[in-house]
Every structure is written in structure tokens, then in C-alpha cells.
Amino acid sequence: MKGSKLTGYGYYVPEKVVSNFDLESKMDTTDEWIFSRTGIKQRYIARDDETVADMAALASKRALDMAGLNPNDIDCVIMATISDRKDFPASANYLYAKLGMTNNAPAFDVKAACTGFVYAMHIARAYFAAGIYKRILIVGSEKMSQMLDWTDRNTAVLFGDGAGAFVFEASEEGDGIIASEIFSDGSFTDLLYADSGLVKMDGREVYKHAVRNMSAVGLQVLESAGMRIEDIDWLLPHQANIRIMASAAEKMGFPMDKVIASVDRFANTSGASGALAFAYAAQQGLAKPGQRILYTAFGAGLTWGAAVIKI
Ligand code: COA
């Protein structure tokens, strides 16, 4: 089967840092409560005039530079996002324009909440296998700050803004996306959704589903890849909450020192979270070429999925 290679990645976060201490003056919460329940210390918050597509473009440019490609070399743009204020057209269309693309490549959004990036990689894998596209740009970008009720301490403390981008290129011997699995269960839409543009959540129920589904799908995708935990260098779980990440890792038998975790720094950036955390870890010298990553995600829908990627 035809495959692909990950040839570029990049991330972008806005300038403004909002710490847990900053939130103490805005709502009835404490740094101690937030950090002990979630592992979050701070989050980045976009400027009012900074859009989902702006952040996506900055992350994409870094990924394209690393791949040594121009925007017009890309023949398909897939964007994972749920937080754009525009109902249509797709955020990916705005990204196309911001990148200065003129080649009429298809550009569309995947709306699978925090699992969006894994859904996008699953689609890309199928395109490569079918020989349809040669260079696919996948971007997760979220401005969650505009989806939050800043008086609701149950949700406002959990999320942040940012973007992460991957460039995959077709390769006969390539194994960039070795395996991927995606799932959903629409009977739990009421656990996590946005109403009139604001996030609503039953945190405790979401927590249980997140641990169960992320660990199960992680093991499932390993089986479809014909691999075992020992074959994986890094577990890259959706960065929602360090306790969820640690419990899922433990259930899978994965040691915590092999878990990529930057939720303390970026909080939950939904569809951007995995690619952002990965690109940041690579920049810190953690993840290295040739290594295998198990990326597991979970989110509203409910949706969940996992992919084994080689870097
Ligand atoms: N600061 C202080 N208190 C808060 C608070 C905050 N920011 N947010 C909620 N509380 C209060 C609640 O009002 C509740 O009070 P009550 O018992 O008087 O009603 C209490 O803290 C809940 O505490 P606890 O049961 O210890 O919380 P928890 O351990 O379940 O943690 C979450 C709460 C939200 C952190 C946790 O359930 C969680 O992370 N869930 C998953 C959320 C998530 O990641 N969603 C995105 C998935 S993609």
C-alpha cells in the first residue's frame, strides 16, 4: 500500500500568557485547584483580532519551511477546528488565502472536536493509500478563548488557544501514518457541546469516557499496526488533563516518562493539541527522527481515535 512521510511540522501560540493566578482575580478559583485537578499552570490566549486561520497560517508556514515546500506545493489542506466564529466557509479556505495559495487545491475542515486532527490524519492516510494526493497539509487551530464563558469556572480554566501543523508527503516506502483508527458515539452529545457559541460540559462523565476510550483505541491501533507498546517511543495523548493522560497511559501499560505532556503550558487546545504538543516536544529535543509516536485523542461527539506515526 502507498504511504507517506512526515516531512514538516510546526506550532504557533499567541503572545499573551494567562496563568492560573491571573484567573483567580476573574472567577472563584485557585491555582492549587486547577493544577491539582488538571496539571494546567497557564494557557496562551489570542488577541481579539487574531483568528483561527491566522494562527493556522503561522504554524503551517513553520511546517512548510521545515519540509522545504511552498504553499502551492500542497495539493490538499485539511483543517481540524471547532472554534472559528464563521459558520462557513471552512477555516481551511481562509487558511488557503492567508498562505497565498493559488493552485486551487481542495481545502476543508474536519469538525471532530479534540479528535479532529486524528480524523484528519485518517483521511490523509486513505488519500495517500489511494494515490490521490501527494502533499497534504493538516492543521489543527483553535481559538477556544472565544468559546468560553469567562464566568464559568467549570470550563474556562481548562482551555487555551494555539495551532499545530503537519506536512505529509507521498512516499512509496513511506510509513508516516502507519495505522489509524477513528470512532464516534453520538449518544453522548450532551456531555460536551457548545450552545450559542459557549462550551458546556459534564466534566466528571467526560473524564471517565476519555480515560476508557483513549486507552482502548490506543491498544486497538497498535494491534492494527502489528506493534506492541515496546515498539513505541512516545505516547502523545490529547492534552486535556494530566490525570486523564496518566490514567490512560497506565491502563495501556505505558510508562509516564514516555508520555509527551505540555498541558501545563498550553492547556487544552482541542483540535490543535496533539500537533502542537508534538512540535513543541520536538523543538525541545524530545522526539527525534526515526521514532514512533502513538497519538491518541478523545473529544466531544463523542469522538475518539488514534494513529501510529513515524517521524
Ligand atoms: N475552581 C474551583 N472549584 C471548581 C472549579 C474551579 N475552576 N471548577 C469546578 N469547581 C468545583 C465544582 O463546582 C464542584 O463543586 P461542588 O462539588 O461544590 O459542586 C467541584 O469543584 C468538583 O470537584 P471535583 O469533583 O474534585 O472535580 P474533578 O476532580 O471531577 O475535576 C474536572 C473536575 C473538570 C477538572 C475534571 O472532571 C475533568 O478534567 N474532566 C474532563 C474535562 C475535559 O478534559 N474536557 C475536555 C475533554 S476533550
Side-chain angles (χ1 to χ4, degrees):
M1 195 162 77
K2 292 174 200 146
S4 65
K5 274 197 167 139
L6 177 66
T7 56
Y9 47 81
Y11 76 94
Y12 169 79
V13 284
E15 258 174 52
K16 187 176 172 190
V17 177
V18 174
S19 72
N20 292 347
F21 295 107
D22 295 328
L23 294 182
E24 288 184 1
S25 58
K26 287 191 176 187
M27 64 190 81
D28 184 14
T29 191
T30 59
D31 169 64
E32 196 281 321
W33 192 97
I34 301 169
F35 185 65
S36 64
R37 301 306 198 289
T38 69
I40 296 168
K41 283 301 255 182
Q42 62 169 47
R43 69 284 297 138
Y44 290 83
I45 300 293
R47 296 185 315 269
D48 285 350
D49 66 346
E50 202 169 24
T51 66
V52 163
D54 287 329
M55 293 189 283
L58 290 164
S60 299
K61 279 180 188 151
R62 289 173 185 170
L64 287 165
D65 282 351
M66 183 177 171
L69 297 177
N70 293 312
N72 277 335
D73 295 328
I74 294 296
D75 51 15
C76 178
V77 180
I78 312 178
M79 190 143 154
T81 190
I82 49 163
S83 54
D84 215 340
R85 273 282 175 249
K86 295 258 182 9
D87 290 332
F88 72 87
S91 304
N93 298 127
Y94 292 97
L95 172 61
Y96 173 103
K98 286 191 188 290
L99 288 175
M101 292 175 73
T102 53
N103 63 356
N104 300 131
F108 59 92
D109 292 354
V110 172
K111 197 173 185 176
C114 303
T115 321
F117 205 93
V118 175
Y119 267 59
M121 284 199 293
H122 192 71
I123 294 166
R125 184 165 75 99
Y127 280 149
F128 284 124
I132 295 176
Y133 298 117
K134 295 214 164 353
R135 289 166 178 155
I136 303 182
L137 170 66
I138 306 177
V139 195
S141 182
E142 303 283 12
K143 189 173 177 180
M144 294 306 289
S145 59
Q146 63 186 355
M147 306 282 291
L148 299 170
D149 172 356
W150 285 97
T151 62
D152 178 11
R153 64 181 186 172
N154 291 295
T155 52
V157 303
L158 301 176
F159 297 93
D161 300 336
F166 282 178
V167 172
F168 286 100
E169 295 187 61
S171 156
E172 284 302 328
E173 75 284 4
D175 52 5
I177 311 171
I178 297 167
S180 55
E181 300 279 352
I182 55 173
F183 299 97
S184 80
D185 186 347
S187 30
F188 295 104
T189 47
D190 56 338
L191 295 186
L192 181 54
Y193 60 96
D195 197 9
S196 311
L198 294 179
V199 173
K200 303 275 163 56
M201 182 184 66
D202 178 341
R204 274 185 210 171
E205 278 306 306
V206 169
Y207 190 107
K208 286 187 234 161
H209 285 278
V211 172
R212 194 182 312 132
N213 291 336
M214 278 214 300
S215 52
V217 75
L219 294 175
Q220 260 167 296
V221 81
L222 275 183
E223 197 178 324
S224 38
M227 290 180 185
R228 296 171 309 155
I229 294 285
E230 299 76 50
D231 300 318
I232 299 294
D233 297 290
W234 295 99
L235 176 64
L236 174 65
H238 169 48
Q239 313 275 307
N241 174 324
I242 195 70
R243 287 160 60 215
I244 294 176
M245 293 155 68
S247 299
E250 192 188 343
K251 261 178 170 283
M252 293 172 61
F254 222 97
M256 218 28 212
D257 62 353
K258 285 170 76 180
V259 176
I260 292 177
S262 46
V263 67
D264 58 329
R265 194 177 183 88
F266 302 118
N268 182 350
T269 57
S270 189
S273 116
L276 197 172
F278 169 75
Y280 178 71
Q283 188 190 63
Q284 303 300 303
L286 271 186
K288 296 189 181 66
Q291 291 187 327
R292 294 195 192 105
I293 312 278
L294 173 55
Y295 179 175
T296 59
F298 170 86
L302 297 175
T303 55
W304 62 98
V308 177
I309 54 180
K310 187 167 167 207
I311 54 177

